[in-house]
Amino acid sequence: MRFIKTHKAFCIFLILALTIVLVAVLAPVLAPRDPLQAILSDTLKPPCDQYPWGADKLGRDVLSRVLFGARTSLTMTFSLVGFLFVFGTALGIISGWCGGLVDGIVMRIADIMLAFPGILLAVAIAGLLGASSINAVFALAAVTWPKYARLSRSLTLKIKHADYIAGARVVGTPTYRILLRYVLPELLPTMLVTVGMDIGTMMLELAGLSFLGFGAKPPIPEWGAMLSEGRSYMRQAPWLMIYPGLAIFIVVVIFNLLGDSIRDWLEPRRPLDKDNQ
């Protein structure tokens, strides 16, 4: 109870985020229809008792597709941020700890990747690989990992010369134990805050790739792809864009606010300057 009172915002947005994940997991139970079932006689049917959120150009239930789209969008997003967290953090630690040639090679590759506009490079990579959910995740991972690698490297360089690290070396502690026991725990709060802040951004970028035709392929329900399919019928059937757009907006806002609350919780507070007390 004390933790809840102290971190009310974190608890509220965590509950909302878990609710979204639960909805995605229970999509087969909550969805009134099969999201892939096409009934051509119900093409572009407006919201009614039979179709609470209307039907699309093939007569598929929009509500069911939005619910199943949550599974696709969240799976892609969590896969992406999970890969970035593990790979980028590990590469940054290795680069900062080893230094020398290893550090030079990793950082020069990172500089090359950062020299290009991220989303444009992701579109180019996804275009070369072909449209699919996996390729969209890989394309964004390829242009985003330098951010995590550079951040974890800079933190590793600060910790590397600390007295307790020198003491661990003197007593003969193996390098892998130093990294796991001393370096990684110091990095985790900052890296977790970065992950929390990036979930919403990564979801938007994945939806953008799908909207452009480089992400999930039809008939897989995915919010960005649903927006792309509905844009041709924006005047005739606006519900095709309203509901997927609202889903993206609500989920991104909740995860962004959750990231802010994680930052407020995990980031250490700076001590007040005595002169300002």
Side-chain angles (χ1 to χ4, degrees):
M1 291 300 295
R2 184 178 179 182
F3 178 85
I4 295 175
K5 292 180 180 179
T6 307
H7 305 284
K8 290 181 180 179
F10 170 75
C11 294
I12 291 172
F13 294 120
L14 178 61
I15 291 172
L16 292 175
L18 291 176
T19 301
I20 292 171
V21 174
L22 185 62
V23 168
V25 172
L26 297 178
V29 177
L30 299 175
R33 293 173 176 270
D34 183 350
L36 303 181
Q37 182 183 11
I39 304 176
L40 297 180
S41 59
D42 294 336
T43 298
L44 300 180
K45 196 168 186 177
C48 58
D49 293 338
Q50 186 181 6
Y51 297 99
W53 288 6
D56 66 4
K57 63 180 181 179
L58 295 178
R60 297 172 298 191
D61 183 42
V62 174
L63 173 58
S64 299
R65 290 184 63 78
V66 169
L67 291 174
F68 274 86
R71 307 184 88 186
T72 306
S73 297
L74 289 178
T75 300
M76 292 171 63
T77 302
F78 290 155
S79 299
L80 175 58
V81 296
F83 174 82
L84 290 173
F85 174 72
V86 174
F87 178 77
T89 302
L91 197 59
I93 292 174
I94 294 172
S95 177
W97 184 265
C98 296
L101 181 62
V102 173
D103 184 38
I105 293 174
V106 172
M107 287 301 102
R108 295 300 76 76
I109 295 175
D111 290 341
I112 293 172
M113 300 301 294
L114 291 173
F116 298 93
I119 190 64
L120 293 181
L121 184 57
V123 168
I125 295 174
L128 290 173
L129 296 177
S132 74
S133 301
I134 296 176
N135 290 343
V137 170
F138 177 81
L140 281 176
V143 302
T144 311
W145 70 264
K147 172 185 176 180
Y148 287 78
R150 292 176 71 91
L151 178 58
S152 60
R153 171 184 176 271
S154 65
L155 295 172
T156 301
L157 290 175
K158 291 180 181 179
I159 303 169
K160 182 178 179 180
H161 302 291
D163 292 339
Y164 61 90
I165 297 294
R169 285 175 165 176
V170 168
V171 299
T173 305
T175 300
Y176 76 91
R177 291 197 63 185
I178 294 176
L179 295 178
L180 293 177
R181 187 172 180 180
Y182 299 108
V183 177
L184 186 59
E186 292 290 331
L187 269 64
L188 275 180
T190 301
M191 300 308 299
L192 287 175
V193 168
T194 304
V195 168
M197 298 290 290
D198 278 353
I199 291 177
T201 302
M202 294 298 104
M203 180 172 289
L204 279 176
E205 293 188 357
L206 285 168
L209 287 180
S210 296
F211 181 84
L212 295 173
F214 298 108
K217 295 188 296 184
I220 297 174
E222 197 275 338
W223 292 338
M226 291 175 67
L227 285 175
S228 180
E229 291 178 355
R231 61 180 173 173
S232 301
Y233 306 92
M234 189 164 53
R235 292 186 178 181
Q236 183 181 359
W239 57 88
L240 297 182
M241 297 196 70
I242 290 175
Y243 294 114
L246 278 176
I248 294 174
F249 173 77
I250 292 171
V251 173
V252 168
V253 168
I254 288 175
F255 277 103
N256 280 344
L257 293 174
L258 177 62
D260 287 337
S261 61
I262 292 174
R263 179 190 59 192
D264 296 338
W265 172 35
L266 292 180
E267 281 192 346
R269 302 295 183 183
R270 294 182 181 180
L272 293 175
D273 192 294
K274 293 182 178 181
D275 296 337
N276 296 329
Q277 292 180 349

